[in-house]
Amino acid sequence: MVMSSLKLQDLIEEIRGAKTQAQEREVIQKECAHIRASFRDGDPLHRHRQLAKLLYVHMLGYPAHFGQMECLKLIASPRFIDKRVGYLGAMLLLDERQDAHLLITNSIKNDLSQGIQAVQGLALCTLSTMGSAEMCRDLATEVEKLLLERSPYLRKKAVLTAVHMIRKVPELSDTFLPVCAKLLHERHHGVLLGTITLITELCERSPAALKHFRKVVPQLVQILRTLVSTTGYSAEHSISGVSDPFLQVQILRLLRILGRNHEESSESMNDLLAQVATNTDTSRNAGSAVLFETVLTIVDIRSAAGLRVLAVNILGRFLLNSDKNIRYVALTSLLRLVQSDHSAVQRHRPTVVECLREPDASLSRRALELSLALVNSSNVRAMTQELQGFLETCPLDLRADCASGILLAAERFAPTKRWHIDTILRVLTMAGTHVRDDAVANLTQLIGGAQELHAYSVRRLYSALAQDISQQPLVQVAAWCIGEYGDLLLEGSCEETEPLQVEEEEVLALLERVLQSHMSLPATRGYALTALMKLSTRLRGDNNRIRQVVSIYGSCLDVELQQRAVEYNTLFRKYDHMRAAILEKMPLVERGGPQADEEVKESQEATRLLEPAPVPTEPQASKLLDLLDLLDGPSEDSQQPAPVDPSAEGTLIHLLDLPCAPLAPAPIPNLKVFEREGLQLNLSFVRPPGTPTLLVITVTATNASEGDVTHFICQAAVPKSFQLQLQAPSGDTVPAQGGLPVTQVLRVLNPNKAPLRLKLRLTYNHYGQSVQEVFEVNNLPVETWQ
Amino acid sequence: MIQAILVFNNHGKPRLVRFYQRFPEEIQQQIVRETFHLVLKRDDNICNFLEGGSLIGGSDYKLIYRHYATLYFVFCVDSSESELGILDLIQVFVETLDKCFENVCELDLIFHMDKVHYILQEVVMGGMVLETNMNEIVAQIEAQNRLEKSEGGLSAAPARAVSAVKNINLPEMPRNINIGDLSIKVPNLSQFV
C-alpha cells in the first residue's frame, strides 16, 4: 500500500495556510514526524519527495539533521531524480564537521566517471561546494581527467572545482597548473571564464606560478582584444551590448595581478588598456563594470603616466554620474588610489566633498573616508569646515569616525595652535560623547603648552561650559582649564575674544553645577572638585564657599570624591600654609613616552618606599605622598596615565617652589659613604646660591667589581624639620668593571638651618644575591647645612 | 568569492537561502534576519551596496542587492568581486528564472524551491561565477528535466496504474453489461476499493 504523503507543493500550501507562527510550527512538526517515519520504513520510491520537503522546512529554520543519512542513500541511488535531491541535501545539510560527509566520497567518485553529463555535473557541483580537504585529495585525479573531457559543460565545472580544491589543499596547485595553458585556447566562454579564475587563484597563491603565467600575458591581451572588437562580438554572451563583461572583468583582474610591479608585462598591456578605456560604452551598467576594472588595472600596474591621468579622470567623471552605484564604486576606487596618486585625486576634492551631503549612508561613509584621506596642509581649514558641517548632520554610526578623523587631521596639519584649539573645541561641543578617550588628555596638553592662548582658551571653554554641561569630555577639559587659569578668566579683557565679564561667584556656581549634575561622570566630578580647590588660591575673594563645598563632599558616597574632599579639607585646615604652593600652576606637560613613564614610576616608588624607613620624618613625608597622589588625579584620565605622569615629576619641583637651578661647581668636598664588594657610593653636595635653604646632593654609585649590580634602589631619610625630595635615578643597573655609574639627585630643604643628618637605605642584587644596607651618613661637612 | 545568496520577500520570509561558506544553522537564520533588516532600511533610490552585517565576515564583505517587486535578491560578496559585475549577475539570474518559469513570480519560487536551487547551481558554483550565457543555462536545465521525466516515466507506471484503479468508482459500475447479444458479467471488485 502506498503511503499517503504530501507532495512538496501540498506541504507548502499547508504551511502558507497557517495563520500564526505556532500553527506553522504545528504543521511542520507533524510533517517532520511523517518524514522521520518514512525514512525509518525505508520507502525508496518517495524518499526524494520526503527529502525535498525536509529541505524546504530547513530553509524556514527548522531542524533537519535527521535527513543527513537519507542524502547519502539518495545519492547512491541510480535514478537521476534521487541523485538530484540527494546532492542538494548534501550541499545544504552536510559539512566538514559531520563525519557523514566522508561517506559520499565514494558515491561522488563513481558519479564522476559515470558518463551521464548531468550526473557528473551534480557530483562536481557538490564537491566544489562542500568538499573537504580529504575529499579533494581523494578525488583530484578524477577531476583532472574531466578537465580533458570533450564536453565544455563538464570542463567548465571541472575547472571551477579545481579552484575549490586548490583552496582546500594548496599542494594540488601543481596538479592543475600544467593544464591551464591548454585551456586558455578554449573558445567556449564558460570554460575560459573558469580557466581565468583558476589561473588567478594559482597566481595569488604562489609567486612561482605568478612568474610562470606572465608568459601568457600576450595571449590574454589577444583574447580581450577579440572580445572588444566588433568581429568577436557574441550576441549570446552580451549584456546590454557589451560582449561578455564577466569574462572581460576577469581577464582585466588577472592582467592586473600579472602586471603589478613588472615593467615588461605592463608595457604589453598599455595599448589594450587604453583601447578598452576609451572605447567601452558606459551607458549601461555592464560597460561601467568593465571600465572600472580597466581603471583599477591601469592604476595598479606600471602604466604610462598619460594612461594613469586618463584613469583618474575617468573616475572623476564617474563621480559626477547620476547613477548612485557608479558614484559609490568611483569613491571606493579613488580611496584605493589616494596613496599612490594623491595629487591626481586632489583635483576631484570638491566633488568628493559634495558627496558628503548625500542622504545615502553608504555613499556618505565612502565620501567621509576619502575626504579624510585628502586632507593636507594646504586645504586643512576648508576641509575641516566641511567635515564639521558633516558632523552635525551625519548618522550616528559615522559620528565617531568623523570626530576622530577631524581630530587626527587637526593634529597633523593644524596651521596655528589657536585654530587647533578652536577645532577641538567645536568637535567636543558637537560630538563630545563620540570622541576617543585620549582627546581630553590631548587637549589639556595642547592648551597647557600654548601659554599665549591660556586666556583665550579659558574664556572659550568657560562660555562653552556655561551653555552646556552634558558633553563629558568638554566638561572635563573646561573644568581643568578654569581651575588652572581661573585668574586669567577673571582678569578682564583678552584681545582675541569679546570682552567677557565674569564674576567669581558665577565661576564657582558653574563648577558646583557640574559637581551636582546627574549627567556628570565620577571622573568629571573629580575634575570639578579639584578645579574648585585650585580656584581657592586663584581667586581673590574669601574661600568660604569653596570650603563649604569641599567639606560637604567629605561625606560623599563616591569613595574617590570623598577621599579628595577629605584631603582638600585637611589642606584648608592643617596645611594651609602649603596650599598655595601645592595648587600652583602646572608646568608644561611632556607628551610622556614609555621612558619618561618609567622614570617617574621609579621616583614615585622610591618616594613611596620612604614610608617603612624608621625615621621621624615619616608623617610629613607620607602627607607629601598623599598630596602627590592628589595632584596626579585631575590631570590623569583613568585610561591614559601615560602622557600625564611626567607632571608628577614636575609637580614635585613646584611643590617646594624651587627652581631647578643648574648645578654650580661644588665647593663642598665629596664624601664617600659606602663601599661593599666593589660597589661604591659617593655623595657630592651643591648649595645653589639663590636659595640658602636648599642643598642638592648627588648620589653616585660606581661598580669596580666583576659582577653587575642590578635593581639598585637608593632611598634616603632626613630629620623631621627637613624636607627631602628624591629625583629619579639615572637607572637601576651599575655595570661591572667601572661601567656607567648610576646617579640620583636628592634635594634637601633646611629652613631651620638645623644640623643635617642623613640616613641611606640601599637595596640591590650583586653576584646573584640580594643585598640590603641601611646606614647613617657620618661626617657630613658643615657647609651642607650652615 | 560569493559567500551567500539570499532571496527573501518584503516581509523577510526566506525564499532561497544558499551559503557557500559553512555556518551553523542558527547563525544562518540570524544572517538572513539581519540582512533583511539592513536591506529593509534602504530607500529605493539609493545605491545597491551595503557594508556587510557583523555576522558575515565583517569589513571585507559587502551586500549587493536588487529589489524586484516583492523580492529582494541579496548577494554577499568579498572584495575580489566586481560590485557592478555582481549587479549584472543578479540580473542574469533573475532573467534565467524568468525564462525557465515563464514570467516568474514569487509563487514560483515558493512552490519550486528545489528547481530554483538547480537553476542557481548552473549560474554560481562553489561561490564562483560558472556561466552567464542564459541560453546555455536554460538548455542545461531543460536537458536535466527531460532526464528526470524519462526516468520517472518508467518507475512511476506501477504507481499510476494503482492510482487509476483506486479512482474507479466501483459501486457505480453495472453488475451486467448488456450490449446486444453480449452479456458480460462484471466481477465483484469491491475488495479492491
Side-chain angles (χ1 to χ4, degrees), chain A residues 72-313:
Chain A
L72 295 160
K73 291 189 199 150
L74 282 169
I75 291 173
S77 147
R79 296 198 308 165
F80 180 68
I81 189 170
D82 288 338
K83 282 189 196 283
R84 216 181 193 189
V85 184
Y87 274 122
L88 181 61
M91 283 188 270
L92 293 179
L93 299 178
L94 288 176
D95 72 78
E96 294 181 21
R97 286 168 314 163
Q98 283 101 18
D99 295 324
H101 84 279
L102 283 172
L103 298 172
I104 68 173
T105 313
N106 219 25
S107 300
I108 295 186
K109 194 172 194 154
N110 292 338
D111 284 336
L112 280 177
S113 36
Q114 218 210 46
I116 299 182
Q117 194 174 262
V119 172
Q120 288 169 299
L122 275 179
L124 283 170
C125 185
T126 310
L127 186 55
S128 73
T129 307
M130 46 80 71
S132 65
E134 296 93 8
M135 288 167 75
C136 292
R137 262 191 275 264
D138 289 337
L139 299 167
T141 28
E142 270 73 15
V143 173
E144 206 188 334
K145 258 189 281 178
L146 286 171
L147 283 173
L148 306 165
E149 273 284 327
R150 247 175 343 128
S151 152
Y153 174 73
L154 286 178
R155 266 179 297 152
K156 81 180 177 196
K157 285 204 162 179
V159 165
L160 277 191
T161 312
V163 178
H164 173 85
M165 287 179 142
I166 291 175
R167 284 193 185 142
K168 284 284 175 188
V169 186
E171 299 82 55
L172 287 174
S173 312
D174 302 321
T175 325
F176 292 115
L177 195 142
V179 74
C180 290
K182 181 164 178 287
L183 285 170
L184 266 184
H185 292 284
E186 274 293 331
R187 307 296 308 255
H188 187 272
H189 282 225
V191 184
L192 210 46
L193 187 62
T195 311
I196 307 275
T197 314
L198 179 59
I199 299 178
T200 312
E201 185 72 27
L202 287 167
C203 291
E204 276 174 348
R205 286 189 174 263
S206 121
L210 184 61
K211 238 174 90 176
H212 172 91
F213 282 113
R214 289 228 171 89
K215 293 188 299 223
V216 306
V217 168
Q219 210 176 344
L220 292 170
V221 169
Q222 188 50 41
I223 298 173
L224 190 52
R225 194 163 286 174
T226 323
L227 267 180
V228 299
S229 72
T230 42
T231 49
Y233 181 77
S234 152
E236 269 197 332
H237 292 98
S238 93
I239 311 261
S240 21
V242 179
S243 184
D244 205 342
F246 298 97
L247 185 56
Q248 288 194 39
V249 164
Q250 282 291 86
I251 296 179
L252 284 164
R253 235 164 25 96
L254 182 55
L255 286 176
R256 179 154 80 233
I257 295 174
L258 293 174
R260 205 177 275 153
N261 289 328
H262 197 245
E263 282 292 342
E264 203 187 308
S265 309
S266 308
E267 200 123 351
S268 45
M269 295 178 214
N270 266 324
D271 288 337
L272 172 68
L273 292 172
Q275 185 190 348
V276 176
T278 40
N279 289 347
T280 310
D281 169 26
T282 57
S283 55
R284 303 298 295 277
N285 191 51
S288 308
V290 173
L291 195 53
F292 262 118
E293 211 62 38
T294 316
V295 164
L296 288 175
T297 305
I298 292 175
V299 174
D300 231 2
I301 64 173
R302 299 261 176 91
S303 50
L307 204 51
R308 292 184 90 91
V309 173
L310 175 65
V312 181
N313 287 345

Side-chain angles (χ1 to χ4, degrees), chain A residues 353 356 367-369 371-373 375 380-394 402-403 405-406 409 430:
Chain A
V353 170
L356 274 178
L368 175 65
E369 279 173 25
S371 308
L372 287 173
V375 177
V380 66
R381 282 185 199 255
M383 287 299 280
T384 318
Q385 204 151 357
E386 294 283 350
L387 288 167
Q388 278 168 342
F390 177 64
L391 188 61
E392 280 177 28
T393 54
C394 73
C402 189
I406 297 179
M430 273 193 272

Side-chain angles (χ1 to χ4, degrees), chain A residues 80 84 156 188 325 366, chain B residues 48 51 131 136 148 151:
Chain A
F80 180 68
R84 216 181 193 189
K156 81 180 177 196
H188 187 272
N325 293 329
R366 290 285 130 154
Chain B
N48 299 78
E51 318 294 285
E131 179 66 66
E136 279 228 23
E148 196 175 305
E151 271 183 357

Side-chain angles (χ1 to χ4, degrees), chain A residues 675-709:
Chain A
E675 156 109 51
R676 177 175 159 166
E677 294 174 318
L679 177 68
Q680 211 178 52
L681 213 69
N682 277 313
L683 297 183
S684 63
F685 306 94
V686 178
R687 294 281 294 270
T691 44
T693 52
L694 172 66
L695 170 69
V696 178
I697 308 175
T698 308
V699 179
T700 311
T702 50
N703 183 1
S705 72
E706 300 283 304
D708 291 342
V709 168

